[in-house]
């Protein structure tokens, strides 16, 4: 099963958005998002919720606990 970093990279590649757009949506720096993508850092709960909302997936999917993308 995928982990958070893999899912974040995959979602970014599938979407027509950039990490810069995600950073602006989250109100954090591009470098912070790049740290998430590399696995150097992980977002807090509020950040996970916002990222899941941004990509319109469930948190379980985002963190690799489920292969089902839909939010319930």
């Amino acid at each position: 099963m995928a982990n958070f970093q893999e899912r974040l990279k995959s979602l970014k590649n599938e979407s027509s958005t950039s990490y810069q757009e995600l950073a602006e949506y989250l109100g954090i720096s591009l470098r912070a998002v790049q740290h998430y993508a590399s696995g150097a850092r992980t977002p807090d709960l509020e950040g996970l919720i916002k990222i899941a909302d941004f990509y319109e997936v469930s948190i379980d999917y985002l963190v690799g606990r489920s292969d089902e993308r839909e939010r319930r």
Side-chain angles (χ1 to χ4, degrees), residues 9-71:
K9 290 177 190 177
S10 176
L11 289 165
K12 186 258 182 201
N13 290 334
E14 290 173 16
S15 71
S16 59
T17 59
S18 66
Y19 284 148
Q20 181 63 46
E21 290 172 287
L22 177 59
E24 290 171 8
Y25 178 81
L26 297 173
I28 61 176
S29 70
L30 171 60
R31 190 73 183 134
V33 173
Q34 291 169 332
H35 281 302
Y36 296 164
S38 71
R41 293 188 187 153
T42 55
D44 61 10
L45 180 58
E46 182 180 339
L48 284 174
I49 292 168
K50 286 183 176 182
I51 294 168
D53 288 347
F54 184 81
Y55 288 115
E56 298 181 343
V57 297
S58 69
I59 292 175
D60 281 346
Y61 178 81
L62 182 62
V63 299
R65 289 180 42 125
S66 172
D67 289 330
E68 192 171 314
R69 290 177 175 235
E70 281 85 33
R71 296 181 283 180

Side-chain angles (χ1 to χ4, degrees), residues 1-13:
M1 201 169 278
N3 63 29
F4 170 73
Q5 294 79 20
E6 292 167 351
R7 287 282 164 87
L8 182 61
K9 290 177 190 177
S10 176
L11 289 165
K12 186 258 182 201
N13 290 334

